Amino acid sequence: AAEGGDAGGAAADAAAGGGAGQLSEAAAELAAQRVERERIERRKAERTAPIDAGAKLSGKAADLLAAVRAVESGEKPASRYFDEAPAPAARRAPTPPPAPRQPVAPAAPAAPAAALVEEVAAVLARGGAPQALAARTAEALGEGAGQALAEDPWRLLAVPGVRPTQADGFARALLGPACGPDDPRRAQALLGWLLDQAGLKGHTALEAPVLHKALAQYGVPDPEAALEAAVGEGTVLVFQEPLGESAGEDEEPPVRVLVGLESAALAEESLADGLARIANTFAGPDATGATGAPEDWDKAAAAAPSRSAAELVRAVASHGLVAHTGGEAARAEPLALLAAARELGLDAWLATHSPALRDRIPDPAAAGVATVAGLLARTEGPGRDAEGQFPLDLLIVTDAPQLDVESAAALVEAVPDGARLVLSGDPGVLASAGPGRVFGDLLAARACPVVASRTPDPGPIGELVSGIGIGELNQVDAPGKEVVIVPVRDAAEAVHRTVQLVVESVPRAFGLPPQDVQVITPGHAGAAGTRALNAALKERLNPGPGRFGGFDPGDRVVHVPSPGRAVAGQVVAADAEGLHLDCPGAGGRVVVPKDLVESAVRHGWAVTAHQAVGDRWPAVVVVLPGDAVDALSRDWVYTAFGRAERHLSVVHGVDQALPRAVAEGTPKPRTTRLTGLLRGLAAAANEEPQEA
């Protein structure tokens, strides 16, 4: 299985099965995100009038069908309906009124009532489904889950991990002869499931013809009617985006019709509104003394440690929203900006996706450094005011490519008017595990100044990674064995050589303990995937019977507390409460309930590149087995190789597939709306003075 789907499914399972008991940092984060989603839903209810190219369509469902048919030209292979995205298109939309901001208060997610779980278990038993699904089904469907499931068996698809064939079998057992592929309940459930799966691959919406082909692949006899019915019932949202100018004065411009679920689609609109608000409402550095006088900013720029840091300081001095790009060495520039802003008396904070940067600072709270997850969960950072906003003047977010639309919307909504926002990151790394392409879409929209760092990554590893970023796999001079290529013939040899490198060769050559060596491989499955590599490494580094759900005290693990987030840790113990982990990145001790261990915890000696992005280790061993050719792309190689600080070993079994992936393997496009939304808002803002 490819890493994106497998990791995404595990994370979704972890979120859906959220545990009871004492409120943990992970549970608080999930609760904060849940409240934010409810806020977005309230905002959606306030939008009663149709908004061109940016909201749910109004009118009869027949209007939708006419629009869909108007854009259905050309065919796309059904086997690729998740991985193909239409070309970016401009969007024209009026500026929506600002939505009232609601305070976000985390609360412990309540476990389903025992009676509800028993009711669901009884329905599952009638349909021959595993009883282990009862708690998760009750969590997914909520109050009345048992009756809802009995009336519509395909609602089982709302439970993470359940596939259409399993839901069909459950429905046949419950409904008998009345069950058929043309059942409208089946089509509606499949539509929601398809959009959920698309979200795991990063899309925030899908083109209507793509959904038609997908529904047909699963045996829905009339996909167009099924989509029309879903729109009429409000199950999905529909959006129109112009594809260009009209051919004549009396002709409507061509449009594409996009379909999405509420959470990601409305979060994307909320994010666009928030970014436009920050970019447009900032009055300049001389508007108030709280933001610093121009001459003070000039002095701060002159004192910056590098030319690129000085450019970043100057850009932030005169703009509310700034994007900053650069590699690993460029991380010093946002830190320099943070220090300069605090010297000017601004209440400035820096938030990072990974706890690695925060943990390298002796007193991160005093320095104004927190994690994105900690800010959202209110366990780190400056806290919130009465309106649920951060009481600050400047927020710097590093690792911005790892922001999905929902977490980005939550952060941006909490930035107060008049404050500055800097989004910083490396555009060459893998995009977020969740839906959206926030940083890439912001850069594509050109909605704010972009400061590109001129600071190169040092040494042979930096030279190698920089070349990969522009599509070149170059040989580099590595006199200190900074880069080593280890050719292998097959997966068995790849596993053997990887264990040898981690346990013996790298520690002996560089004086590093094995825990400072991280293995990265393309996927979880396969003869040299994370499962096989972790089993071999556990046997050498921490042998044991795995008596706690496959884990033993001392095992190195990765905990996935929420979708798109992976936290490194170590097993401490296990008891009736669950598996006890020591996760410094999550604030210390974490307890994973027993029923979530299988889906939320993996061994961590070997990880995927998606799990590794944002972190760095003294030494990294990248494993490229022969069966991983299809998973390789330029951004994957760039991300994996760039995780090494002092040494990189490449266990190479893919021959010419590696240079071909670097030269030709561009990232798969994601269907998103943020670029068009930002362009439309910017165009509307530019037209306002002329109308006045």
Side-chain angles (χ1 to χ4, degrees):
E3 62 170 298
D6 201 345
D13 286 351
Q22 184 178 2
L23 178 63
S24 65
E25 185 268 346
E29 177 194 350
L30 289 173
Q33 293 181 355
R34 179 176 300 176
V35 173
E36 176 61 23
R37 286 194 293 270
E38 292 175 355
R39 186 199 64 76
I40 292 173
E41 291 175 2
R42 288 195 298 270
R43 181 181 176 192
K44 177 245 177 186
E46 295 170 0
R47 293 176 180 258
T48 56
I51 298 178
D52 181 31
K56 181 178 176 181
L57 295 180
S58 61
K60 298 181 180 179
D63 295 336
L64 165 73
L65 186 57
V68 170
R69 288 174 173 167
V71 299
E72 285 185 329
S73 58
E75 296 294 326
K76 294 184 179 180
S79 61
R80 298 180 62 190
Y81 54 78
F82 281 148
D83 294 329
E84 289 193 357
R91 175 186 182 273
R92 183 175 66 254
T95 304
R101 302 183 185 90
Q102 302 292 333
V104 179
L116 180 60
V117 174
E118 292 178 3
E119 178 186 348
V120 172
V123 179
L124 292 174
R126 285 165 44 201
Q131 297 296 290
L133 288 176
R136 284 191 289 161
T137 304
E139 176 84 12
L141 301 184
E143 193 67 29
Q147 181 179 353
L149 194 61
E151 295 175 352
D152 183 357
W154 285 284
R155 294 194 67 181
L156 192 65
L157 278 175
V159 180
V162 176
R163 299 193 60 81
T165 53
Q166 298 166 324
D168 285 341
F170 176 67
R172 282 193 297 270
L174 277 185
L175 302 179
C179 176
D182 58 344
D183 193 306
R185 295 170 294 182
R186 179 177 184 268
Q188 299 305 300
L190 278 172
L191 185 59
W193 181 81
L194 288 168
L195 289 170
D196 282 339
Q197 296 304 302
L200 293 177
K201 290 184 177 289
H203 305 291
T204 59
L206 287 178
E207 209 173 2
V210 174
L211 273 173
H212 291 163
K213 294 176 177 63
L215 289 170
Q217 186 183 29
Y218 282 100
V220 176
D222 191 347
E224 293 184 12
L227 181 55
E228 181 181 352
V231 173
E233 295 176 6
T235 306
V236 297
L237 300 181
V238 181
F239 313 93
Q240 296 183 45
E241 289 194 351
L243 292 175
E245 298 297 330
S246 58
E249 295 182 359
D250 298 332
E251 296 183 11
E252 293 292 331
V255 299
R256 65 170 180 169
V257 176
L258 298 177
V259 182
L261 292 175
E262 285 186 335
S263 58
L266 292 179
E268 208 162 25
E269 290 202 352
S270 174
L271 174 59
D273 293 345
L275 291 173
R277 168 180 60 85
I278 295 171
N280 294 334
T281 62
F282 182 66
D286 55 350
T288 171
T291 62
E295 58 270 19
D296 294 333
W297 283 101
D298 289 339
K299 291 179 182 178
S306 68
R307 179 181 175 185
S308 294
E311 290 181 1
L312 181 59
V313 171
R314 292 191 183 97
V316 173
S318 54
H319 297 88
L321 178 64
V322 175
H324 170 257
T325 64
E328 292 298 327
R331 287 178 178 271
E333 293 156 21
L335 288 171
L337 171 63
L338 175 69
R342 290 200 153 211
E343 284 290 328
L344 291 175
L346 273 67
D347 192 351
W349 280 82
L350 182 145
T352 178
H353 174 77
S354 168
L357 178 61
R358 179 203 61 186
D359 294 343
R360 293 177 183 178
I361 298 174
D363 190 349
V369 178
T371 64
V372 171
L375 281 181
L376 293 176
R378 305 190 183 191
T379 58
E380 301 176 57
R384 305 279 186 114
D385 61 19
E387 295 183 353
Q389 294 187 312
F390 302 129
L392 47 72
D393 303 307
L394 169 65
L395 176 62
I396 308 165
V397 182
T398 63
D399 304 310
Q402 303 313 302
L403 290 173
D404 59 56
V405 291
E406 293 196 28
S407 59
L411 278 177
V412 170
E413 280 290 321
V415 176
D417 291 340
R420 298 171 169 88
L421 173 65
V422 176
L423 296 179
S424 173
D426 188 344
V429 301
L430 290 165
S432 65
R437 200 178 70 102
V438 173
F439 194 57
D441 285 347
L442 175 64
L443 297 178
R446 299 183 179 181
C448 65
V450 178
V451 178
S453 173
R454 294 181 174 86
T455 306
D457 290 336
I461 297 176
E463 181 183 351
L464 174 65
V465 173
S466 297
I468 292 171
I470 60 173
E472 298 176 359
L473 186 63
N474 302 316
Q475 291 186 348
V476 296
D477 185 19
K481 296 184 178 180
E482 293 89 350
V483 180
V484 174
I485 307 299
V486 183
V488 294
R489 295 182 298 272
D490 53 35
E493 185 181 3
V495 173
H496 172 75
R497 294 303 301 272
T498 299
V499 173
Q500 187 180 53
L501 285 165
V502 173
V503 177
E504 300 172 2
S505 303
V506 174
R508 182 173 60 247
F510 294 92
L512 297 171
Q515 57 263 32
D516 284 348
V517 184
Q518 182 63 58
V519 177
I520 300 175
T521 192
H524 294 298
T530 62
R531 297 187 184 99
L533 288 167
N534 276 316
L537 288 165
K538 174 176 170 57
E539 184 177 351
R540 288 292 303 274
L541 295 172
N542 194 45
R547 59 186 181 276
F548 301 135
F551 300 95
D552 294 296
D555 277 358
R556 186 170 167 180
V557 297
V558 171
H559 178 220
V560 184
S562 59
R565 183 168 176 236
V567 182
Q570 188 176 47
V571 176
V572 176
D575 52 27
E577 190 178 0
L579 193 66
H580 294 250
L581 309 177
D582 181 19
C583 297
R589 184 66 63 92
V590 172
V591 180
V592 182
K594 290 189 295 184
D595 60 333
L596 295 181
V597 169
E598 182 178 357
S599 61
V601 183
R602 298 183 185 274
H603 283 105
W605 290 285
V607 299
T608 66
H610 273 106
Q611 293 174 328
V613 66
D615 282 332
R616 299 192 84 198
W617 292 268
V620 168
V621 178
V622 177
V623 184
L624 303 176
D627 60 359
V629 171
D630 292 339
L632 296 182
S633 61
R634 182 186 303 167
D635 56 342
W636 192 95
V637 179
Y638 182 91
T639 301
F641 285 19
R643 299 313 94 206
E645 294 177 338
R646 294 175 52 190
H647 172 76
L648 170 67
S649 284
V650 181
V651 179
H652 193 344
V654 292
D655 296 326
Q656 294 303 309
L658 179 58
R660 186 165 56 250
V662 170
E664 305 171 2
T666 55
K668 291 180 179 179
R670 296 183 173 192
T671 306
T672 62
R673 302 171 50 241
L674 183 59
T675 296
L677 288 167
L678 288 172
R679 287 173 176 169
L681 291 172
N686 291 334
E687 292 174 1
E688 285 180 359
Q690 299 176 3
E691 294 175 358

